[in-house]
Amino acid sequence: MSRPDRQHSVWGRVPRPAYGADYNPEQWDAATWKDDVRLMREAGVNLVSLGVFAWSWIEPRRDAFDFSGLDEAVELLHASGIAVDLATPTAAPPLWFSHAHPESLPVTADGRRLAPGSRQAYCPSSPLYRERAAIVTRRLAERYGDHPAVVMWHVNNEYANGNAHCWCETSATAFRTWLRTTYGDDLDALNDRWGTGVWGMTYSDWSQVTPPRTSTSRLPPALWLDFYRFSDAEHLACFRAERDIVRAHSPGRPVTTNFMASALRWSDYWRWAREVDIVSNDHYLGSEDPHRAAELAFAADLTRGLAGGRPWLLMEHSTSGVQWQPRNIAKVPGEMARNTLTHLARGADGTLFFQWRQSAYGPEKWHSAMLPHGGEDTRVRREASALGNAVSRLADVAESTCPQAPVALLLDYEAMWALELPDRPSSDLTCGDALRTWHRALWTAGLGCDIVPAPGAHRLLLVPSLYALSASTARALEAYVEGGGHLVVGPFSGVVDPDDRVHPGPYPGALRDLLGLTVDEYLPLTAGATVALDDGSTGNVWAERVVPDAGTEVECRFADGPAAGGPAVLRRGNVRYLATRPDVPSLLRLLPRWAAQAGCAPAPRGSGDGVEVIRRSGPSGERSWLFVVNHTEATAHVAATGTDLLSGARVPGVVAVPAGEAAVVEEGGTGPR
């Protein structure tokens, strides 16, 4: 993806590439801080996130602010040349606040008020919470807004992680206000769009409208969707309020908040990305996921897409195991470096870990860190230091771009929310699984991929899942095809509008004319069942009985299953439709062929099957760097000429990258300048 504003002042004095960790000095005595800073310098750390959960540290009692510890930590870091990403600590309201104002605590759908004692124990609609969050943010921004150590700001932490939705009376009032604004104070319009005539649940007064609380049976899907939109908007309003305070007192310093993009849950990050100066993301691998290297690439590609050409950071990942999975498997030697270099290869301007020093107590004491419990003489500590020194040699790379990939995947968060509500034809038909499956096939084939919110200039646009489709998006897809783009659409797409109302006429509704077909019946498969296609492909989860229009070509048919003999893959000009969900081996046969037909360049030689080969180029194209990240158990050989910045070795025409290792070749270069 092109980076038109790499020199934009928004990056300011943030180190590039950034390397460091979340730092929590409040957990340690001041003598330990000095050791921390010394060891950080040895490890190549140039940026730390500071104060993320420090509200009770700096305001131990209401209005009794004590900045002495934070002052000392900031000065110590600054004196050692380590920049600070200063956080507002509002993800962790102090206990004095929660006990004084229990009405600020979140409430579940069945009416249980959650107890304080953990992070994110607040209702985002609470005016009491927002008032105190504004006060502590303002005090921080006034005190440190011009401090030379503070190069960027980090608002809150992982919004909507533990408190995505709240059903309290404060939220109910705010929800009604949001709805009245959204629907122009027209209750009849709300009744119409929610379909409340079903089961006779028509509202006759706004006071009757509540969040979707636990009831005797199902509630209108459109109610749920509006509640999801409202909840996301409330969290975003909290972010904007703190961001604007920071900007007023600390002009010129970028403001971010850490996304959890690849979780694909409750935040529409396309909307959030427009509100931050620097996109940052937290990503933790599923330690038992056999496809975790592909998942890593998916997270990086999605974050790059959210950045839309602007700088972005991996704000958190782990040096080894985490503490919150059922089995927290340690990363193998070299995996920490591969995880980091995968993100840098795919466009990141820096990578940070959670956290610097491993906690001695608390829920995260078994979460790995750059400095483990065992101290300096540990494998993880040695690898983290070696990695920091390697990253420091990539300063020129951080000024470079990732070329736009020829292939794009479309992600629509609201369509994902709609598909994963109850009462769909199959609970197995999820958007996240489809996106990851198609992306993993592209990754395995070595084909670069951007993740986008709407059609653009890509030669091939893949839409694995788009259950809910607005008229405007349908028109954008039509315009994309009319402009010469090649489109592939997965099953059960275009069926309903953004309010989950079925589009009039035969399926697939808003896409019927573009696809040139009618779906007569949707045929979900039983758990674990598959269907065979007559081209040797295999589908799972789903089948459809499809009737093609005149002029629509049937490329292959179902060989068995409930739609046996019927069309499975159809083509109308530059548009294809799949009436099932192909597995990865099938996509590995289909996607390269479709990419070639769309005029996409082939995958780089030597890439694929666990070997990532990605080129980043300088702003004017005169310099380029080839990243080769080898996730396999065999040596990879990739054509390249230049200097490997990680080893310093000359590369005469082919770079040999041992199993589990990586290379960054400055092509044609003689090393760092």
Side-chain angles (χ1 to χ4, degrees):
M1 177 172 285
S2 62
R3 303 290 288 270
D5 59 351
R6 297 297 302 177
Q7 307 303 321
H8 196 281
S9 61
V10 68
W11 192 257
R13 294 181 293 113
V14 181
R16 185 182 287 170
Y19 184 74
D22 189 292
Y23 184 40
N24 298 286
E26 64 271 24
Q27 297 181 16
W28 308 96
D29 58 39
T32 303
W33 301 353
K34 294 179 181 179
D35 280 340
D36 284 334
V37 170
R38 172 182 62 83
L39 293 170
M40 285 179 190
R41 287 176 57 85
E42 291 179 8
V45 169
N46 57 24
L47 179 69
V48 296
S49 295
L50 188 66
V52 174
F53 301 117
W55 194 341
S56 64
W57 189 38
I58 62 176
E59 191 184 8
R61 294 176 303 282
R62 185 185 184 95
D63 294 325
F65 285 93
D66 180 1
F67 291 104
S68 58
L70 187 57
D71 284 348
E72 185 176 349
V74 169
E75 292 296 340
L76 185 60
L77 290 162
H78 181 53
S80 300
I82 298 169
V84 172
D85 166 33
L86 188 58
T88 67
T90 51
L95 288 173
W96 61 255
F97 170 78
S98 299
H99 281 274
H101 301 290
E103 66 272 31
S104 70
L105 294 166
V107 172
T108 63
D110 58 1
R112 292 181 298 111
R113 189 174 296 280
L114 298 180
S118 189
R119 60 188 186 179
Q120 294 184 319
Y122 65 88
C123 164
S125 300
S126 168
L128 294 165
Y129 165 76
R130 292 190 184 193
E131 177 186 14
R132 294 309 306 185
I135 290 170
V136 71
T137 297
R138 185 172 293 107
R139 292 294 299 267
L140 277 168
E142 288 172 348
R143 190 174 190 89
Y144 301 103
D146 292 326
H147 197 291
V150 178
V151 299
M152 63 182 289
W153 287 84
H154 181 311
V155 171
N156 203 279
N157 181 74
E158 295 182 341
Y159 276 102
N161 186 357
N163 62 342
H165 311 113
C166 178
W167 286 262
C168 72
E169 284 303 322
T170 299
S171 291
T173 300
F175 184 41
R176 280 189 290 273
T177 300
W178 183 88
L179 289 169
R180 296 183 80 153
T181 301
T182 300
Y183 289 93
D185 210 22
D186 187 343
L187 190 58
D188 290 338
L190 180 143
N191 278 311
D192 177 62
R193 285 172 59 179
W194 284 11
T196 56
V198 175
W199 293 355
M201 292 295 113
T202 303
Y203 299 103
S204 59
D205 190 272
W206 282 105
S207 63
Q208 299 163 6
V209 182
T210 64
R213 293 173 172 142
T214 303
S215 188
T216 55
S217 188
R218 304 297 196 193
L219 299 169
L223 163 59
W224 278 105
L225 289 172
D226 268 345
F227 183 61
Y228 293 158
R229 294 171 184 129
F230 155 77
S231 299
D232 191 30
E234 291 294 273
H235 284 288
L236 188 54
C238 289
F239 167 76
R240 288 188 183 120
E242 294 184 38
R243 177 203 63 191
D244 292 348
I245 292 169
V246 167
R247 283 178 173 173
H249 295 281
S250 190
R253 290 167 173 82
V255 184
T256 190
T257 187
N258 44 340
F259 296 171
M260 300 174 292
S262 61
L264 296 179
R265 293 306 294 161
W266 303 119
S267 300
D268 183 344
Y269 283 128
W270 299 120
R271 186 176 295 119
W272 280 77
R274 295 192 292 267
E275 303 290 342
V276 298
D277 298 318
I278 294 173
V279 167
S280 66
N281 190 48
D282 294 354
H283 182 257
Y284 293 100
L285 290 174
S287 60
E288 296 183 88
D289 180 1
H291 309 298
R292 60 187 179 274
E295 167 65 20
L296 193 77
F298 175 78
D301 286 344
L302 176 52
T303 312
R304 186 181 69 250
L306 292 166
R310 295 174 295 155
W312 62 278
L313 288 170
L314 177 61
M315 184 62 77
E316 291 183 22
H317 67 145
S318 66
T319 57
S320 189
V322 297
Q323 98 289 347
W324 43 267
Q325 296 176 15
R327 289 161 294 279
N328 296 292
I329 311 304
K331 291 183 179 179
V332 300
E335 191 171 3
M336 180 201 315
R338 294 198 305 276
N339 294 172
T340 298
L341 291 168
T342 289
H343 275 81
L344 292 173
R346 293 176 183 271
D349 295 270
T351 63
L352 284 73
F353 296 99
F354 182 85
Q355 58 181 321
W356 162 252
R357 179 183 284 272
Q358 193 169 11
S359 297
Y361 43 74
E364 293 180 317
K365 64 180 172 292
W366 297 116
H367 191 297
S368 61
M370 295 183 75
L371 185 63
H373 291 145
E376 298 180 52
D377 190 20
T378 54
R379 177 188 69 85
V380 167
R381 156 68 182 169
R382 290 191 293 271
E383 284 198 26
S385 296
L387 178 59
N389 291 322
V391 169
S392 70
R393 297 195 286 273
L394 305 181
D396 290 344
V397 180
E399 299 285 344
S400 68
T401 68
C402 284
Q404 185 181 68
V407 181
L409 276 170
L410 189 143
L411 166 60
D412 184 312
Y413 284 95
E414 292 195 4
M416 175 184 69
W417 297 343
L419 181 59
E420 297 182 10
L421 284 169
D423 305 315
R424 313 294 93 163
S426 174
S427 62
D428 298 327
L429 196 72
T430 65
C431 179
D433 285 346
L435 285 168
R436 284 182 165 86
T437 297
W438 288 52
H439 186 277
R440 179 155 58 91
L442 291 167
W443 179 85
T444 304
L447 291 168
C449 173
D450 291 333
I451 299 177
V452 299
H458 299 84
R459 291 181 177 272
L460 177 62
L461 177 64
L462 305 175
V463 186
S465 178
L466 195 59
Y467 166 68
L469 178 65
S470 67
S472 60
T473 301
R475 288 194 297 271
L477 292 172
E478 291 167 359
Y480 169 77
V481 173
E482 289 170 0
H486 287 245
L487 176 68
V488 180
V489 179
F492 204 45
S493 292
V495 183
V496 300
D497 69 12
D499 296 309
D500 203 50
R501 181 189 294 264
V502 175
H503 285 294
Y507 308 138
L511 292 176
R512 188 171 56 248
D513 293 339
L514 178 61
L515 299 174
L517 56 87
T518 297
V519 177
D520 179 67
E521 189 174 11
Y522 294 123
L523 305 168
L525 305 181
T526 58
T530 61
V531 288
L533 279 57
D534 63 10
D535 70 345
S537 299
T538 300
N540 53 45
V541 175
W542 191 262
E544 298 175 357
R545 188 170 290 112
V546 179
V547 180
D549 293 350
T552 298
E553 174 189 356
V554 177
E555 292 195 323
C556 71
R557 295 181 177 273
F558 288 103
D560 61 18
V569 179
L570 304 93
R571 179 178 183 180
R572 185 182 183 90
N574 288 354
V575 183
R576 281 185 171 87
Y577 182 71
L578 283 69
T580 186
R581 285 199 166 174
D583 60 12
V584 169
S586 301
L587 286 169
L588 280 171
R589 290 198 307 274
L590 297 170
L591 288 175
R593 185 169 77 234
W594 296 342
Q597 291 172 356
C600 302
R605 292 181 61 184
S607 67
D609 293 325
V611 179
E612 298 185 66
V613 180
I614 302 168
R615 180 173 283 105
R616 291 183 63 162
S617 301
S620 59
E622 79 284 358
R623 299 177 71 187
S624 61
W625 295 265
L626 192 73
F627 283 74
V628 182
V629 184
N630 184 3
H631 300 281
T632 76
E633 297 180 358
T635 298
H637 297 86
V638 175
T641 300
T643 301
D644 180 4
L645 300 184
L646 301 184
S647 68
R650 286 290 298 163
V651 178
V654 174
V655 59
V657 182
E661 297 189 16
V664 182
V665 179
E666 181 177 3
E667 296 180 299
T670 57
R673 300 182 185 182

